[in-house]
Amino acid sequence: MQRILVTGSTGNLGRAVVATLTTKGVHVLAAARNPGKVVPSAGIEPIAFDYVAPATHAAALRGVTGLFLLAPPLDPEAPAKLNPVIDLAKARGLQHIVLVSALGVDAVEEAPLRVVERHLLASGVPHTILRPNFFMENFSTGFLAPMLKQGGILLAAADGKTTFISVADIAEVAATAFVKGLTSRQYNLTGPAALDHRTVTAIISKLSRKPITYQAIPEEAMFRGLRGTGMPEGAVQYVGVLYRAVRAGYAATVTTDVETVTGRKPIPFEAFASQNAAAWA
Ligand SMILES: NC(=O)c1ccc[n+]([C@@H]2O[C@H](COP(=O)([O-])OP(=O)(O)OC[C@H]3O[C@@H](n4cnc5c(N)ncnc54)[C@H](OP(=O)(O)O)[C@@H]3O)[C@@H](O)[C@H]2O)c1
């Protein structure tokens, strides 16, 4: 039986990966800085893991066959955190690492997640690289949810379009990659349609019957807002890079990789929103 260590298991994507792997009969070690945050369930073993506490890495990797590897979000230090874990996985003879990167990262060699991708590629460990676009769940449980609760989102996205994808689809790709052994592959994962933020907020507004708006703001105003929330400067600049890509149209790409791997089309935003309407009640 496969035993997969899932990093970020308490987060939006990691939670979905844990759930999908267990439905496929895989034994999951759910890694978290505080394992008490992992919801107990059959087939799920909570385990302590912190990128900045190397002593936790050896115990977490003991006896596992595969590793689902993701970086803390917006982290310019991702290579310093993830690369030593890839090295340890190699030393332990792991059969498969599925790495979460981000759409478009392979066009920017110095991007932190691209540096991690190249480290994994050079390691020789059997691997799958997933490059998802922005998550739909950013609006329901992610970083945009608090703004929506206050009636609207302010972003330096202009009228740039994004092929938002649900973490459920990314998780299905990740779990399929482990179960079918889809190694030496790189998948660019998007939702089915490119939408701007005005359209997305209109969909959410209609479903929640609440006036929710989108206001395009200049980059400097977005930076001031993010700094006001206490976000570290490295993460603020990281967000700047992401929304420059949105404004330039790079996030509007549609790919068919979800369907290629899973055999089913990715969920449209409207369906995601109606399934998650309670988030905006
Ligand atoms: N959101 C998007 O639109 C998007 C798009 C493309 C790619 N991605 C990538 O997808 C990944 C996951 O995003 P997400 O939205 O699921 O993030 P999230 O909900 O914020 O979850 C982040 C996870 O990282 C864990 N974490 C934070 N610091 C850690 C540390 N020092 N050691 C170990 N674990 C740590 C957290 O666990 P604790 O319980 O320990 O805090 C949490 O489970 C990120 O790498 C992001 O770059 C995101």
Side-chain angles (χ1 to χ4, degrees):
M1 189 199 234
Q2 291 196 39
R3 285 170 63 85
I4 308 291
L5 179 68
V6 176
T7 61
S9 73
T10 56
N12 284 310
L13 178 54
R15 267 196 311 267
V17 170
V18 168
T20 310
L21 281 170
T22 50
T23 62
K24 293 184 189 295
V26 173
H27 186 84
V28 171
L29 285 94
R33 285 180 290 185
N34 172 4
K37 276 169 64 182
V38 177
V39 181
S41 177
I44 300 173
E45 200 179 316
I47 190 138
F49 179 89
D50 188 338
Y51 282 114
V52 298
T56 60
H57 301 174
L61 281 169
R62 191 168 300 130
V64 307
T65 57
L67 170 65
F68 176 78
L69 188 63
L70 62 69
L74 308 174
D75 190 347
E77 309 301 326
K81 293 191 170 82
L82 273 65
N83 291 357
V85 178
I86 293 171
D87 295 341
L88 185 59
K90 178 182 172 143
R92 292 282 178 87
L94 252 70
Q95 295 158 19
H96 196 172
I97 295 178
V98 175
L99 170 70
V100 180
S101 180
L103 190 74
V105 150
D106 45 332
V108 189
E109 289 303 325
E110 69 278 13
L113 289 172
R114 178 61 181 161
V115 175
V116 179
E117 285 187 6
R118 283 194 275 121
H119 193 79
L120 177 59
L121 291 165
S123 73
V125 179
H127 63 269
T128 313
I129 294 175
L130 309 184
R131 295 193 194 100
N133 207 345
F134 284 82
F135 301 169
M136 293 177 182
E137 283 75 7
N138 292 342
F139 295 92
S140 55
T141 48
F143 74 103
L144 296 173
M147 278 198 231
L148 286 169
K149 287 227 181 299
Q150 289 171 8
I153 52 178
L154 294 90
L155 284 174
D159 56 2
K161 292 186 175 177
T162 302
T163 49
F164 298 102
I165 180 168
S166 171
V167 295
D169 287 318
I170 305 167
E172 190 63 35
V173 171
T176 305
F178 279 119
V179 170
K180 294 192 175 169
L182 304 177
T183 56
S184 303
R185 321 276 175 111
Q186 302 181 22
Y187 297 114
N188 298 313
L189 304 176
T190 76
L195 306 174
D196 61 25
H197 286 77
R198 200 170 306 284
T199 307
V200 165
T201 48
I203 294 168
I204 296 173
S205 187
K206 192 172 164 201
L207 273 165
S208 62
R209 297 198 188 88
K210 284 185 176 173
I212 296 172
T213 56
Y214 164 62
Q215 191 184 335
I217 56 172
E219 185 177 81
E220 206 33 65
M222 182 174 74
F223 286 173
R224 276 197 300 275
L226 294 172
R227 287 181 192 122
T229 67
M231 186 181 276
E233 189 57 27
V236 170
Q237 295 304 324
Y238 202 126
V239 175
V241 172
L242 296 179
Y243 284 101
R244 253 169 257 155
V246 172
R247 293 197 300 278
Y250 297 127
T253 308
V254 178
T255 72
T256 54
D257 286 359
V258 169
E259 190 173 5
T260 301
V261 176
T262 67
R264 66 180 202 214
K265 291 189 189 304
I267 184 174
F269 195 90
E270 292 82 350
F272 158 80
S274 65
Q275 284 166 17
N276 290 276
W280 306 295

